[in-house]
Amino acid sequence: MRTCRRALTVLALTLPLAAMGAVPVVDDNSGSAGSSYPPSGYGTAGAYAGGGATAQPSAQGQLFMQLQQMQDEISRLRGIVEVQQNDIQQMKQEALDRYKDLDSRIGAGGAAAPAANNSSSDGAVNAGGNSVAPAAGGASQAPQTSSEPGDPAKEKLYYDAAFDLIKAKDFDKASQAFAAFLRKYPNSQYAGNAQYWLGEVNLAKGDLQGAGQAFAKVSQLYPKHAKVPDSLYKLADVERRLGHTDKVKGILQQVVAQYPGTSAAQLAQRDLQRL
């Protein structure tokens, strides 16, 4: 009886151990579809970062690329704007300098009376900077015909009206008025001054070609006029602005040599030292 109980006890203890030994062991790394880890689809971004051939950029990646392109374009446009601002500032400064210079010349009494003739005008230059010999009789180079007979009083009224347009800073109308005056009264005692101021007005407008032609004609048509030294000096300034540096030095040297003691000669000497 005691032996039977002992046998039953041993049997009861060994059955659970046998059952546990019969349970199959599952390998987690077997790669079976039902137990794979990590889940399907995980790591797509990593595959894209690793250069997978079939991976597509994410929405965040596309947005980053677009922002980068916009920043590059903004930087390029800022550079263009800065260059344009510098150019505009330089143009404004040059225009301001021309206006100040014009104001100072107006204040010197440009319209008070016709300038006296110079005693000499040998070697006047044309717009190209080449020497031209003055004709005998000085102002006889000016056109000998006009549209109406000379009337000093009427000429002065016409001339003063044109000069008032300069004072009013209406340079377009002033240019037209002086050009019309010279067509109507080419032999007037005011013609030399009108020719000079036509150059000043065109220079103030920024019309360098027109200014150069007007200044050159002062020495060509009125070679003994007192405005010749100033007109030649201004012609040198126009040639410098046009980039014709090879002509500037010759004109300045001519002013110094032929018109010593004038303010134009002093300015020309200063500019020669800076070249």
Side-chain angles (χ1 to χ4, degrees):
M1 186 64 177
R2 187 176 294 176
T3 302
C4 289
R5 288 179 179 176
R6 186 178 298 173
L8 290 172
T9 301
V10 171
L11 181 61
L13 293 172
T14 57
L15 283 175
L17 295 174
M20 291 176 64
V23 176
V25 178
V26 178
D27 184 3
D28 288 340
N29 297 324
S30 63
S32 60
S35 61
S36 62
Y37 185 85
S40 176
Y42 180 83
T44 302
Y48 169 68
T54 59
Q56 298 296 326
S58 65
Q60 291 180 345
Q62 292 178 347
L63 180 59
F64 176 79
M65 293 171 62
Q66 291 175 357
L67 290 174
Q68 188 64 41
Q69 292 174 353
M70 291 175 63
Q71 289 177 348
D72 293 342
E73 182 67 14
I74 290 173
S75 298
R76 187 182 69 85
L77 293 174
R78 282 178 177 173
I80 294 175
V81 170
E82 288 178 359
V83 172
Q84 292 178 341
Q85 287 178 339
N86 290 335
D87 291 342
I88 292 173
Q89 185 63 34
Q90 184 177 358
M91 292 171 62
K92 286 182 177 179
Q93 185 61 46
E94 290 181 354
L96 180 60
D97 291 342
R98 290 197 297 267
Y99 294 157
K100 287 181 178 179
D101 181 64
L102 188 57
D103 282 338
S104 66
R105 293 176 182 274
I106 292 173
N117 288 340
N118 263 344
S119 60
S120 174
S121 61
D122 294 340
V125 300
N126 58 21
N130 301 317
S131 296
V132 294
S140 61
Q141 284 188 4
Q144 297 301 309
T145 59
S146 62
S147 59
E148 61 182 67
D151 183 345
K154 191 173 183 180
E155 291 170 10
K156 188 175 188 308
L157 289 174
Y158 203 136
Y159 176 86
D160 287 345
F163 199 84
D164 286 341
L165 291 171
I166 300 180
K167 294 179 179 179
K169 302 293 191 296
D170 194 342
F171 300 126
D172 287 330
K173 290 183 178 179
S175 177
Q176 296 172 8
F178 280 119
F181 177 89
L182 290 167
R183 288 194 299 268
K184 182 173 291 189
Y185 305 114
N187 298 318
S188 168
Q189 60 181 333
Y190 301 97
N193 273 14
Q195 187 67 58
Y196 172 82
W197 286 108
L198 177 60
E200 287 281 15
V201 169
N202 287 337
L203 185 60
K205 289 169 53 182
D207 180 7
L208 297 180
Q209 294 289 348
Q213 293 173 3
F215 286 132
K217 285 184 178 179
V218 177
S219 60
Q220 292 174 357
L221 303 180
Y222 315 100
K224 291 186 177 181
H225 198 279
K227 286 293 187 183
V228 170
D230 289 337
S231 66
L232 292 179
Y233 176 75
K234 299 297 288 189
L235 177 60
D237 181 53
V238 170
E239 296 290 2
R240 178 186 62 80
R241 293 174 186 269
L242 290 172
H244 303 159
T245 54
D246 56 325
K247 300 177 181 179
V248 174
K249 186 174 181 180
I251 299 174
L252 294 176
Q253 288 175 336
Q254 180 178 359
V255 175
V256 172
Q258 297 181 6
Y259 306 100
T262 63
S263 59
Q266 295 174 1
L267 294 172
Q269 185 64 51
R270 179 203 63 186
D271 291 352
L272 283 170
Q273 293 174 353
R274 295 176 178 177
L275 292 178

